[in-house]
Structures are given as C-alpha cells and as structure tokens.
Amino acid sequence: MRTPGLPFSNVTRRAGLLAGVAITAAVMLAPFAQAQEVKKGGTLTVAVETDVRGFDTVKGGVLGQTGEIVLRSMQEPLLGFNKETNQPEPLLATEWSSNEDGTVWTFKLREGVKYHDGSEFDAEDVAAHYNRILDPEMKSASRSFIASIDKVVAVDKYTVEFHLKHVWMALLPYLATTSMSGPIPAKEAVEADTQNRHPIGTGPFRFVEWASGDRIVVERNPDYWNADEINLDKIVFRILPDTQTRYASLQSGEVDVIWTDRGPTIVEAEKNDNLVTLTTEGAGAAVNLLNGRKEPLSNPLLRKALAHAWNQDALVKISWQNTRPAVTHPLGQAKDCGEANYRHFDIAKAKEFVAEYLKETGKSEVPPIVMIHTTTPRGRELGEIYQQTAKAAGINLTLEPVDQSTLVARTFKGDFDITGWRIADGADMGPQLYAYVTEGSSYNLTGFNNPELDALAKKMRVAPTMEERLDMQCEMVGMMNDDGSILYRGGGRYYAFTTKRVKGVPPPYRGAVDVTRAWIDG
C-alpha cells in the first residue's frame, strides 16, 4: 500500500526520511549560520490570551491555541510534520511502514528517550495513550477524530502497531498533531491522576509552576534526547487576556513574544519597525455554531434565516480588519471547493426564511435566542455584530458573555443556542469534518442528523486516494453550508510577533507559536 509521496518499504522509507530531514535542517539552519552564532541561556516570556483547562487528554478536553502553545514545550507527538513538504518526519518514532492493505502500521520508536520524571519512553506509553482516548468509557473529546484506529498494540519495548478499521489516509498527519490527541504523556503520570495539572512529557522543557490566571513556567529539560537544539533556560507563559496589554507588554520589553488574532493590534504591529511579524496561511476557520439539537434552532428554516443574517464580511472588516480572509469552507489551500452552497449575507433572504418559519410554526415572532461568547474584545464584537444583523432580519439575539472555560464546557454539554467556536487547522481536515457531522460523535456539537451527509462522511473516511478524499470533503462542506449550522467568521491566517532580540521562532503553523527552539540575542 502506498500513499502519494510516501514510500513504505523500510529501506526506501529510511532513505527518504533521512534526505528530508537533512534538507529541512539545512533550510532551517542556513540563515542562522550565515547571520550569527546561536546563543544559549536566558528566559523567554510569551504572552498568551487565555488560561489552560488542563493537560490531561481526557480531563483537559480541548487545548485551544494557548494550551497547544504551552504543551508543545513539554510533550511531543509520535511524528513531526514538515509544513513545506506536507510530509511527516521522525520524532519519537524513527521509521514506519504499513501492511499491503494499509490497515496495520508499524512504528519503531526512538530508544533512550526519558520522561521528565526519569521513566523511559516506550511502546507501552504510546499504546496506553491512544487506547485510553479510544475507550468509549473515557468519553474523550478527541475520540471522534481518531475513531478510525481500532487499537494500538505494544509489540515490544520499541515497536508499536496501529491497527485501523479501514485504510485511513489521515493517520500520519494525526500522529503528528500537537493538539490534545497527539502529544504522548507518561503512562505513570496519567495513572497517578497528576497529568492534568502537572504534565509529564518527553519534551525539551519540563513543568515548574502553574499559577492559574497568571502564568505557566517551564524550565529546560537537561535529559532531553535532542538537547543540543534547545537554547533557553526557561520559558514563562504569561496569561494576558487583554490584547492591548499583550501588545503594550511586547513594546515595553516586558514580554518577548505574543500571539494575537486582533485586527487592530496586527495592523499596528506590522507597521512597527522594532517588531518581527510571523504569519502563515492555513486551513480551519473561526465559526459560529447553531445548536440544532433543541428548539428553536432545531427548525432548519430558522437556521437558514440566521445563516443569511450572518455577515462574515463585516466581521472580517471590523474585527479582523482584513487580516483574515472571508471563506466559504475550512479546507484552506488543500482544495478549492468554490462557493460550496455557502449562504451569503442577505437580509432579504433571511426575512423570507423567518416568514416561512413563522407560517410553519404558527408563531407570531421568533422565540428568544441566546448567543454565548467570550469576554474578550473579539467575543464582544462578534456578539454585537450578529445581534445587529439578526435584528434586521426580525430575530432578537440576547448576548451572554462567559469566560473561555465556561464557553467550552457549555458547548460540549449542548447548553447553548449559538456559540463562538473554532474549527482547528490541520494537515488533513477530513477527521474534523467527520467528527463535526456524524451521528454519535462527541464533536457533533450542532446536532447534524442527515443520513446522506453521514454516509458521505463515512465514504470520505475510507477513500483510497487523497484526490477522492478531498473531493468528498468539498461535498460534505456543501451539505454543511446548506444546513446553516456552522457559519464561518474568518479563515486560517495566523499571526505572532516578537521583539528583534528573539530568534529561531518559526511562523505559527496551525495557529500555535512554537518557541521550543528559540534563542535570545543579547
């Protein structure tokens, strides 16, 4: 079995991987070699927007961009991923191959890797991590994304097998993700129930302190398997919810790196000659979710009315200030799905659907609808824009600001009418689309129950080629857009900013800033 661009015989696989690593390393290191010598030591301070819910794969639920930024410093996934070649690379696994039909994948693990607690990383840790996510009793939020995996078996100390229910082309990208399902914790820490607040991983930095709402501190791991690549002594992740405070702190030198998606800050920072702009184009999208599981949004006419009452272009202009693109689908540059049945802002059409809804239900007015949003400036602007456009269509929205943790918890419980959310970026968006639309999925947050869409999602999941897989993803998006349950509010374009003394920070791939290989000049 062979995936385009991925040779699977062991000999060919090793040669291809080593060549890829050599090229990547040369590209990454050349600028440093030509410019100046990398310096060791020092503390880097990174300003992030929100606190983290937790680092345990099950108890933490979802990471969000802040959690992913922090967790990358402490834990590692099985594979790396090269965004330039769109191919996986060795990390905790050094080589891999599949059987002929692509349903059993064998991974050889890196030997001699230690966890922060001194225990040795081995196949039992990998198997325990993934089998825990796959166990229905655990109710992991990540389970739906990797449900194509049947089981993970530790063959021997340094060999692990992934047994799939069917051919699944997203396996390697998902073993490289740094969102909640990818980074592999120490089995002992999970069993001791300490992982959520005191994460133990194989990463370049180890946990020191977590002062909720203020900071998370990590220090250099002296036993890291790739220690020569690590330059900093310590990283302090400052939790600064206010965007202007983050930006002012960067300007003053109080912090060295900031993540932000606020349009005004981005526009201002890009003009600042004292700062370095890091940006990437990606997939995924910020979205509004409409809860079709309960009244009144269980009625498709009302969802379609609200879809046409949503003005993505206005939000992109007002809130993002055109720093993110308006989109009709979340596939990014992987595939152009065209309009994909996208319901554009059209108050006249929204009013038509409202009239149909009132006629069908016999109501004299649309029942009250509540939108929850974060207490951030971005969340407030989102709510206010939607409230105004919905009102123009004859729909009254009540806004309820909540903190990030509350919003996530309520969304997963289905305790919302409309909520702000994010379809995370990914090298392959298929697992996310599948999780968002299939019945029984923990991520079917809006209540899709369309048998035709469900069947298409299952067909997409087992597609034997990437071309067929992407074509079916576009078909899925078209049906999702027609339903009106998921409304886009800007596609995947990501920004981070550093001071000029900070070196070695790559653009924020998938929206998360990776500061693990950073160093400080002066």
Side-chain angles (χ1 to χ4, degrees):
M1 178 260 183
R2 178 171 174 166
T3 303
L6 293 178
F8 291 132
S9 73
N10 281 344
V11 174
T12 307
R13 187 70 181 123
R14 285 194 199 98
L17 289 171
L18 290 173
V21 172
I23 293 170
T24 302
V27 171
M28 291 177 64
L29 294 179
F32 297 145
Q34 293 171 3
Q36 57 193 127
E37 183 181 354
V38 173
K39 297 181 180 179
K40 298 287 186 178
T43 297
L44 188 77
T45 303
V46 181
V48 292
E49 183 179 44
T50 60
D51 207 343
V52 184
R53 298 183 73 224
F55 296 101
D56 181 89
T57 310
V58 171
K59 294 187 175 183
V62 293
L63 285 174
Q65 284 168 318
T66 291
E68 190 168 346
I69 290 168
V70 178
L71 189 60
R72 281 184 180 189
S73 68
M74 294 180 283
Q75 289 182 215
E76 297 172 304
L78 203 59
L79 303 177
F81 199 83
N82 187 327
K83 68 182 182 67
E84 302 299 332
T85 63
N86 210 37
Q87 301 289 356
E89 295 179 339
L91 194 64
L92 292 179
T94 56
E95 58 184 85
W96 51 93
S97 60
S98 76
N99 64 352
E100 285 300 317
D101 64 5
T103 58
V104 178
W105 287 74
T106 302
F107 294 82
K108 293 294 184 181
L109 304 184
R110 189 176 301 278
E111 299 184 19
V113 175
K114 298 287 185 180
Y115 279 107
H116 302 152
D117 61 1
S119 61
E120 187 172 3
F121 164 76
D122 59 28
E124 292 290 345
D125 294 294
V126 179
H129 172 65
Y130 281 101
N131 289 330
R132 181 172 180 243
I133 296 174
L134 294 169
D135 183 355
E137 295 296 319
M138 292 290 102
K139 298 180 179 179
S140 169
S142 300
R143 180 171 177 264
S144 297
F145 296 124
I146 63 169
S148 293
I149 302 172
D150 182 44
K151 62 182 177 180
V152 181
V153 178
V155 178
D156 58 40
K157 190 171 184 179
Y158 298 115
T159 308
V160 64
E161 288 180 347
F162 282 72
H163 292 248
L164 307 183
K165 297 174 182 177
H166 50 77
V167 62
W168 188 44
M169 300 198 72
L171 175 66
L172 298 183
Y174 259 74
L175 297 186
T177 183
T178 53
S179 56
M180 194 60 98
S181 66
I184 300 171
K187 180 166 64 71
E188 292 79 8
V190 173
E191 292 172 348
D193 197 25
T194 58
Q195 183 67 20
N196 206 41
R197 294 290 302 186
H198 190 137
I200 298 294
T202 62
F205 295 86
R206 59 189 182 188
F207 177 82
V208 174
E209 174 193 6
W210 183 358
S212 295
D214 181 47
R215 67 185 61 213
I216 298 173
V217 181
V218 299
E219 66 182 6
R220 188 176 187 274
N221 173 17
D223 300 319
Y224 184 51
W225 61 270
N226 199 8
D228 288 345
E229 283 194 359
I230 308 308
N231 308 305
L232 300 168
D233 291 330
K234 185 183 293 185
I235 305 173
V236 178
F237 297 97
R238 290 285 313 280
I239 301 162
L240 299 175
D242 181 74
T243 307
Q244 282 305 113
T245 300
R246 289 201 303 279
Y247 182 53
S249 298
L250 182 69
Q251 288 179 297
S252 69
E254 182 181 349
V255 304
D256 305 297
V257 182
I258 67 168
W259 171 92
T260 185
D261 62 0
R262 292 289 293 146
T265 302
I266 292 169
V267 170
E268 185 176 348
E270 285 187 308
K271 297 176 181 176
N272 191 328
D273 292 337
N274 295 319
L275 302 178
V276 176
T277 302
L278 304 170
T279 183
T280 51
E281 301 288 333
V287 295
N288 296 326
L289 301 181
L290 278 60
N291 191 351
R293 294 187 186 278
K294 65 176 188 175
E295 294 184 348
L297 297 183
S298 55
N299 189 302
L301 293 172
L302 192 52
R303 294 199 302 273
K304 291 172 183 179
L306 281 162
H308 284 297
W310 170 241
N311 193 339
Q312 179 184 194
D313 290 335
L315 183 82
V316 166
K317 182 178 181 180
I318 296 169
S319 188
W320 303 131
Q321 295 203 358
N322 296 316
T323 59
R324 297 184 76 160
V327 296
T328 59
H329 62 82
L331 271 63
Q333 298 174 336
K335 176 76 174 181
D336 182 5
C337 298
E339 288 292 293
N341 295 326
Y342 177 71
R343 294 185 179 275
H344 287 276
F345 175 62
D346 189 327
I347 291 297
K349 284 187 179 180
K351 287 181 176 180
E352 289 176 10
F353 279 114
V354 168
E356 287 186 53
Y357 167 78
L358 296 176
K359 181 179 179 180
E360 179 184 277
T361 62
K363 298 180 184 295
S364 59
E365 61 182 15
V366 176
I369 297 173
V370 178
M371 178 176 187
I372 59 175
H373 60 80
T374 62
T375 55
T376 62
R378 175 186 63 253
R380 289 193 295 271
E381 285 179 1
L382 165 64
E384 289 167 359
I385 290 173
Y386 207 0
Q387 187 179 53
Q388 292 172 17
T389 56
K391 185 177 181 180
I395 303 171
N396 289 318
L397 289 186
T398 299
L399 304 182
E400 183 180 350
V402 297
D403 64 71
Q404 177 77 12
S405 294
T406 300
L407 184 141
V408 171
R410 286 183 57 177
T411 301
F412 275 116
K413 291 176 183 176
D415 181 19
F416 69 96
D417 294 328
I418 302 177
T419 181
W421 199 249
R422 178 177 71 103
I423 297 179
D425 197 350
D428 184 332
M429 297 300 294
Q432 290 205 72
L433 296 181
Y434 179 89
Y436 273 98
V437 305
T438 54
E439 295 185 51
S441 165
S442 59
Y443 252 83
N444 187 348
L445 303 171
T446 62
F448 280 104
N449 61 354
N450 182 337
E452 184 181 355
L453 178 56
D454 199 80
L456 179 59
K458 290 179 170 63
K459 186 178 178 182
M460 180 278 298
R461 191 166 63 153
V462 301
T465 69
M466 185 55 72
E467 183 179 6
E468 293 175 86
R469 182 177 174 85
L470 288 171
D471 285 343
M472 283 186 272
Q473 288 177 25
C474 282
E475 289 184 57
M476 289 176 64
V477 171
M479 297 174 74
M480 294 163 67
N481 286 348
D482 182 65
D483 181 87
S485 293
I486 299 178
L487 312 178
Y488 310 115
R489 50 188 182 89
R493 182 179 296 156
Y494 310 104
Y495 294 87
F497 297 92
T498 75
T499 59
K500 287 189 173 181
R501 75 187 194 117
V502 178
K503 311 295 182 182
V505 179
Y509 177 58
R510 296 185 61 248
V513 189
D514 185 355
V515 295
T516 59
R517 268 65 178 173
W519 54 284
I520 298 171
D521 179 23

